[in-house]
Amino acid sequence: MNKINVPFELSPLIDAARGWQVDGESLKGATIKSMELLCSRLDDDHNWEAKSKMLQALRSLKEEFIVF
């Protein structure tokens, strides 16, 4: 079994992927953090459309009250 070295703030995503119970707000925070990280790494020239849509989804996720 391979071990994955994950920053603490992203660990709820890994736990949820494993099928473990995860606090909804922790999962939301980890999802936001991972999307922010991905957007920061995308090249604006080659991925502008994908980045634009991800940033729009990110804004929506931050504004929504999500019930788990």
Side-chain angles (χ1 to χ4, degrees):
M1 187 159 112
N2 294 332
K3 289 188 176 184
I4 300 173
N5 191 10
V6 178
F8 177 74
E9 60 254 2
L10 298 180
S11 62
L13 283 175
I14 302 302
D15 293 345
R18 289 179 176 149
W20 299 350
Q21 283 289 92
V22 178
D23 173 61
E25 285 301 312
S26 297
L27 184 58
K28 179 181 175 181
T31 303
I32 289 170
K33 183 69 175 175
S34 66
M35 288 177 70
E36 289 172 340
L37 179 62
L38 181 57
C39 285
S40 73
R41 301 284 168 89
L42 286 175
D43 178 58
D44 289 335
D45 294 332
H46 296 99
N47 301 300
W48 65 271
E49 189 173 358
K51 187 172 181 177
S52 173
K53 290 179 180 181
M54 284 192 64
L55 290 171
Q56 182 181 12
L58 187 56
R59 280 190 296 276
S60 294
L61 181 59
K62 286 180 177 179
E63 293 171 0
E64 288 289 322
F65 177 75
I66 299 174
V67 177
F68 290 92

